[in-house]
Amino acid sequence: MATHIDYGPHAPSLITFAFTLLAFASPASDWWSALAPPWYAPFALWALVIVAIRLGARRTARHEV
């Protein structure tokens, strides 16, 4: 049987923060913007961040008292 490891209630928010920082405030943002993506690419990335925040919030709701 697989063992579930719980990394705590703040793990999803830290992962989301790291992804957002990598996508929008690092040299990687210069790289993907130099690829000439479609006009909606930044909006799609923000939508992905919002979905990740929602999923993380749903996961942490069970940790509240």
Side-chain angles (χ1 to χ4, degrees):
M1 181 177 3
T3 303
H4 176 71
I5 299 173
D6 189 9
Y7 292 106
H10 303 294
S13 58
L14 292 175
I15 292 169
T16 304
F17 175 73
F19 170 75
T20 306
L21 195 62
L22 178 69
F24 293 107
S26 73
S29 64
D30 293 335
W31 172 75
W32 68 262
S33 64
L35 296 175
W39 63 268
Y40 55 84
F43 299 106
L45 284 172
W46 275 115
L48 190 67
V49 169
I50 291 168
V51 168
I53 290 170
R54 175 61 186 119
L55 291 174
R58 184 172 20 162
R59 182 185 175 278
T60 58
R62 66 177 174 205
H63 286 284
E64 294 187 20
V65 177

